[in-house]
Amino acid sequence: MSDTAPLHDAAPMARDYSLTGPSGTRAVEIGLAAAQWYHSDVPRKMFKTLIKRRDGPAMRDTAIWVGLHILFAAGGIYFWGSWLCVPFWFAYGVLYGSACDSRWHECGHGTAFRTRWMNDVVYHIASFQVMRNPVNWRWSHARHHTDTLIVGRDPEIAWMHPINLVLKALAFVGVVETWQSLRVLARNAMGQLSPEEQTYIPESEWPKAIFWARVHMAIYAVVLCVSIGMLVVGQGWASIIPILLIGGPRVYGCWHFVMTGLLQHGGLAENVIDHRLNSRTLYMNPISRWLYWNMNYHVEHHMFPMVPYYALPKLHEQIKHDLPKPNTSIWDAYREMMRAVMRQRQDPDYALRKELPPTAQPYNEALHSEVPERSPA
């Protein structure tokens, strides 16, 4: 690995990540927006095999996912009042509050199932679980793939400079992000889309965004009323069960998707047009891979987003000769990422740059010297 910039003693300046500010305008002017990204070569016949969609794998995984929801929820309720309920609620929280993110993601791409309505059903359920407006985030994620980590263009940059490690730690328990998500849903439910949302959501989709926000908020209101009603009639602590079942897992069960999600781009480069420079592939244990639906192959996914999650391991084998060496585990990836993040807190222009194997094509360096403007901290 080699460095991209020396450390300096000057206080880091805040970057303008807003989608309506000068950074986005400059990214368009210099060609960083909607740029031609580097892709590893895949034989045409193999690629046609890899992008072929099937219902079977996702139907199997979704049936297991739903079945485990029911099993662990039933265990949590049955053992309520005893410490035996804790592992059931813990497992239920992860299935609801973490696995939802990968289901939202893959079904949003429309690649999990071959049948469109199956993608749509799971997408809407998962969007509700992760507290995301399904319309807003479908278009937000489309922009994320078009302009990955382009400052002023990508609405899904997780590691914004200057990096606030306190907020990153709080993300593992979901309190701040849940509150922020509810505020967005409430604003949308009142018929308001922010100026930034309006930059990537087509105007024809605005009524749908408002409708689904109202649906989500209505469900949360019903759950809260049921919980309050149980408390009023003397159910005591059991009155929090509705919240533990619906909504609450976004707080107490989100830690796994936060843990894996931060690794996707953390410590890597902004304003580049080669996914090998701004995305991370790593190996992880089978349980995490199932919860995460193989998004640990993240360079591969960004290069070829239409390849279904169940084909990503095969894609990895096809192009790994052209990619940086994957991290060997979640722990290994965090050690690498946090070293880079701690340096970025002092020097936001620093980015981890992984060495390519001798078999790889050189990094696509076009436009890398051009960076959007910053604003004073």
Side-chain angles (χ1 to χ4, degrees), residues 37-43 47 50-51 105-106 109 111 145 275 295 297-309 311-312 315-316 318-320 322-323:
W37 290 80
Y38 174 79
H39 296 86
S40 299
D41 289 330
V42 179
F47 186 67
L50 289 169
I51 63 172
H105 174 266
E106 190 74 7
H109 278 284
T111 54
H145 272 273
H275 292 301
M295 280 300 111
Y297 298 108
H298 214 65
V299 179
E300 295 85 342
H301 168 66
H302 268 274
M303 279 191 180
F304 303 102
M306 299 314 293
V307 172
Y309 74 96
L312 285 176
L315 174 61
H316 171 69
Q318 283 292 315
I319 66 174
K320 65 181 181 181
D322 195 38
L323 309 181

Side-chain angles (χ1 to χ4, degrees), residues 12-25:
M13 298 175 67
R15 296 194 178 196
D16 176 21
Y17 287 93
S18 70
L19 305 187
T20 57
S23 292
T25 301

Side-chain angles (χ1 to χ4, degrees), residues 53-54 93 130 141 146 150 157 165 185 188 202 293 316 319 356 360:
R53 304 176 195 179
R54 296 178 286 146
V130 77
H141 200 65
T146 302
I150 303 300
I157 297 178
L165 291 181
L185 286 169
N188 292 163
W293 264 10
H316 171 69
I319 66 174
L356 291 171

Side-chain angles (χ1 to χ4, degrees), residues 7-268:
L7 283 170
H8 53 73
D9 295 327
M13 298 175 67
R15 296 194 178 196
D16 176 21
Y17 287 93
S18 70
L19 305 187
T20 57
S23 292
T25 301
R26 183 164 170 77
V28 172
E29 291 173 350
I30 66 176
L32 276 171
Q36 183 66 43
W37 290 80
Y38 174 79
H39 296 86
S40 299
D41 289 330
V42 179
R44 182 176 177 83
K45 185 176 180 180
M46 173 58 67
F47 186 67
K48 290 178 68 175
T49 300
L50 289 169
I51 63 172
K52 185 176 181 180
R53 304 176 195 179
R54 296 178 286 146
D55 287 335
M59 289 177 67
R60 175 200 64 212
D61 289 340
T62 302
I64 294 171
W65 183 51
V66 172
L68 289 176
H69 272 77
I70 296 170
L71 174 66
F72 290 124
I77 295 170
Y78 181 79
F79 289 110
W80 186 259
S82 163
W83 284 106
L84 290 175
C85 75
V86 173
F88 286 95
W89 286 117
F90 177 84
Y92 177 82
V94 173
L95 288 166
Y96 180 124
S98 282
C100 63
D101 180 65
S102 57
R103 276 68 182 167
W104 158 85
H105 174 266
E106 190 74 7
C107 292
H109 278 284
T111 54
F113 301 88
R114 180 181 179 182
T115 303
R116 180 174 179 176
W117 70 263
M118 294 182 181
N119 281 310
D120 289 342
V121 167
V122 175
Y123 176 73
H124 276 276
I125 292 171
S127 295
F128 174 78
Q129 289 183 318
V130 77
M131 289 189 177
R132 291 173 183 158
N133 187 314
V135 177
N136 299 19
W137 279 81
R138 190 187 294 275
W139 292 99
S140 166
H141 200 65
R143 173 71 71 82
H144 170 65
H145 272 273
T146 302
D147 297 328
T148 308
L149 266 66
I150 303 300
V151 176
R153 294 287 297 174
D154 185 352
E156 297 182 10
I157 297 178
W159 292 93
M160 294 186 181
H161 302 290
I163 293 169
N164 188 323
L165 291 181
V166 173
L167 287 179
K168 287 289 170 279
L170 287 174
F172 283 84
V173 291
V175 176
V176 175
E177 291 189 349
T178 297
W179 174 247
Q180 292 172 342
S181 296
L182 285 172
R183 288 182 62 189
V184 171
L185 286 169
R187 174 170 50 74
N188 292 163
M190 291 187 291
Q192 301 174 15
L193 273 71
S194 71
E196 292 200 350
E197 289 168 336
Q198 293 177 28
T199 66
Y200 55 81
I201 304 173
E203 189 171 355
S204 61
E205 297 288 294
W206 294 359
K208 295 179 184 178
I210 294 167
F211 170 78
W212 283 109
R214 290 172 176 171
V215 170
H216 287 201
M217 292 302 293
I219 296 172
Y220 290 130
V222 169
V223 172
L224 183 60
C225 288
V226 170
S227 183
I228 293 172
M230 291 176 65
L231 181 63
V232 170
V233 299
Q235 293 294 308
W237 284 105
S239 62
I240 69 170
I241 288 177
I243 297 173
L244 290 175
L245 286 170
I246 301 175
R250 178 59 183 85
V251 176
Y252 73 85
C254 70
W255 62 269
H256 190 278
F257 103 69
V258 173
M259 175 185 70
T260 52
L262 290 177
L263 289 171
Q264 293 176 357
H265 307 288
L268 300 168

